[in-house]
Amino acid sequence: MRYLSLTAAAALGVGFGGIVLAETSIRPVLRPQPAASASDTTVGETPVTETETLSNAGFQDWIKGFYPRAMAKGIRQSTLDAAFVGVTFDADVVRRDRNQSEFTKTIWDYLDTAVSDARIANGQEAMRKHGATLDRIEAKYGVDKYVVTAIWGLESAYGGFRGSNNTVQSLASLAYDTRRSAFFEEQLMAALTILENGDVAAARMNGSWAGAMGHTQFMPTSFLAHAVDFTGDGKRDIWSDDPTDALASTAAYLKHHGWQTGMPWGVEVTLPEGFDYTQANREITKLPSVWAGMGVKGVGGPVPDHGPAAVLLPAGAEGAAFLVFDNFEVIEAYNTADAYVIGVGYLADRIRGGAAIRASWPRGDRVLTFDERIELQQRLTAQGFDTQKIDAKIGPLTVDAVRRYQLSKGIVPDGYASLRLLERLRGG
């Protein structure tokens, strides 16, 4: 259930509770990534647009070879037969997996969509409609019901877009492709185990093109590990119109990953003049009262000492600043992209009735392209600020290299990899 970089899903016109509002199903990166790490097209992979080497005839032969492997894992032939009725090779899902486009949105553009007026209003309507259920889920798992609702909103537009692809067909097609066959065969085996367990019938096991399922878009392995039967009907049903099991499963997932009751994900803060931007580092944590002594103040008033917090500057010194707590990292277990975590937390706060982010964003900036991120890392390394990897990922190693370069040039060391910084690097 993890992501790394950011890509927005296609815009959808959806409605909730009879209210038709323009919304988007927001998934900052396409879902199917290995559990321990995730990436879009990696350096060294050549995007492929043709699937002529893959055919339905070859796919049907692959299925025949897959049957014994599945049966060795305890899947009955009757389950396999039911799951593969009418299943054919889906070249479209393979093409989409091979050509995942890189992220082209800034965090402010992402948040404008993720936390739109429509998504806030629909979230509040969802809370009214399912309030009693969400209250019971919060009482059992101790996870903030507004955060659970916000994940629901970002993953499927509150159930409005759960995906209509046949999950077995999608996963089998992706497993038949050789690019990431082991990962997708593992997911397919998990999906068949779900069918074997009787949680859902094969005809109802639908989801995204890449195998994410239900209201909160669980991959099959995550379903097996974390889904719960909250309704008590003997099935862990995340597919039906009733979102109860899906919402409870999301809370159970967050609880398993360490959610702390009563702790926020983060709060917006202001930084004082002369702030030492080298302190804006996820590895540097202090109690909010200590940060306050350094001039870091909550926008809405003093920040209680919920626990150690770090200063996060998702758009550098010219954008909003946040103190983020351990629960920020818990949401990262659902999706590792900072923008997604901020989107979940911010949407939860807005559904709750909280204020909009007050700070401005550097809206004149644009996101660096893939090639520009590669160039940034190459130029930093060539000038003695080794990023250790040339992979187009602006992670902690590259941020550290950016900071060291900024310090050497007397620039505010906020670690922000902007086009302006790249242009300065080009100048020597």
Side-chain angles (χ1 to χ4, degrees), residues 98-112:
R98 290 180 176 187
N99 295 279
Q100 295 186 36
S101 61
E102 63 177 289
F103 178 61
T104 56
K105 282 184 178 288
T106 59
I107 185 169
W108 48 92
D109 286 335
Y110 173 76
L111 292 177
D112 286 347

Side-chain angles (χ1 to χ4, degrees), residues 30 33 40-41 96-102 180 209:
L30 298 173
Q33 306 296 346
D40 287 320
T41 302
R96 292 177 72 171
D97 182 57
R98 290 180 176 187
N99 295 279
Q100 295 186 36
S101 61
E102 63 177 289
R180 289 195 287 166
W209 66 264

Side-chain angles (χ1 to χ4, degrees), residues 227-237 245 249:
V228 298
D229 171 22
F230 200 74
T231 61
D233 67 354
K235 300 179 186 295
R236 299 180 290 177
D237 187 357
D245 282 356
S249 297

Side-chain angles (χ1 to χ4, degrees), residues 55-361:
S55 66
N56 188 56
F59 179 61
Q60 298 303 326
D61 287 341
W62 181 90
I63 292 173
K64 292 177 184 176
F66 172 75
Y67 259 53
R69 297 196 298 276
M71 293 174 72
K73 295 284 189 179
I75 308 299
R76 292 174 299 167
Q77 182 165 341
S78 59
T79 300
L80 287 162
D81 290 343
F84 281 98
V85 167
V87 167
T88 59
F89 174 59
D90 191 335
D92 182 60
V93 301
V94 172
R95 189 172 292 110
R96 292 177 72 171
D97 182 57
R98 290 180 176 187
N99 295 279
Q100 295 186 36
S101 61
E102 63 177 289
F103 178 61
T104 56
K105 282 184 178 288
T106 59
I107 185 169
W108 48 92
D109 286 335
Y110 173 76
L111 292 177
D112 286 347
T113 303
V115 194
S116 65
D117 289 344
R119 201 177 303 274
I120 295 166
N122 284 352
Q124 291 170 339
E125 174 62 21
M127 294 289 297
R128 285 190 288 271
K129 184 174 181 179
H130 299 282
T133 296
L134 286 160
D135 284 343
R136 290 191 296 112
I137 291 170
E138 183 179 71
K140 179 173 178 61
Y141 296 104
V143 176
D144 185 354
K145 62 185 178 183
Y146 292 95
V147 168
V148 172
T149 302
I151 289 174
W152 185 24
L154 294 191
E155 292 296 339
S156 70
Y158 308 106
F161 184 68
R162 283 168 267 165
S164 57
N165 288 67
N166 179 315
T167 297
V168 169
Q169 178 167 287
S170 293
L171 292 174
S173 296
L174 291 164
Y176 167 53
D177 186 19
T178 58
R179 195 173 83 86
R180 289 195 287 166
S181 58
F183 171 69
F184 283 112
E185 183 163 323
E186 179 188 16
Q187 295 301 325
L188 175 60
M189 203 73 76
L192 292 167
T193 301
I194 294 167
L195 296 176
E196 185 71 31
N197 292 342
D199 285 304
V200 66
R204 289 184 56 232
M205 183 183 268
N206 296 322
S208 77
W209 66 264
M213 307 175 299
H215 288 263
T216 52
Q217 295 292 279
F218 271 61
M219 288 300 284
T221 51
S222 292
F223 177 97
L224 289 178
H226 301 290
V228 298
D229 171 22
F230 200 74
T231 61
D233 67 354
K235 300 179 186 295
R236 299 180 290 177
D237 187 357
I238 64 173
W239 297 269
S240 72
D241 290 338
D242 180 358
T244 299
D245 282 356
L247 298 177
S249 297
T250 299
Y253 181 94
L254 296 176
K255 181 66 174 179
H256 173 84
H257 284 86
W259 185 271
Q260 297 182 47
T261 304
M263 174 183 285
W265 67 275
V267 294
E268 187 184 2
V269 294
T270 59
L271 305 180
E273 290 290 332
F275 178 72
D276 178 2
Y277 281 88
T278 63
Q279 294 290 301
N281 185 321
R282 289 286 298 279
E283 300 302 315
I284 299 174
T285 61
K286 309 176 194 294
L287 288 174
S289 58
V290 176
W291 285 117
M294 298 168 61
V296 178
K297 303 294 180 65
V299 167
V303 181
D305 280 340
H306 298 288
V311 173
L312 178 66
L313 305 173
E318 296 182 19
F322 302 91
L323 279 183
V324 296
F325 296 85
D326 287 348
N327 280 345
F328 188 96
E329 294 186 10
V330 175
I331 302 173
E332 281 184 316
Y334 213 91
N335 181 315
T336 61
D338 281 354
Y340 178 88
V341 180
I342 294 168
V344 167
Y346 183 33
L347 178 58
D349 291 345
R350 295 304 309 280
I351 293 172
R352 199 193 314 270
I357 292 172
R358 296 189 194 178
S360 59
W361 298 103

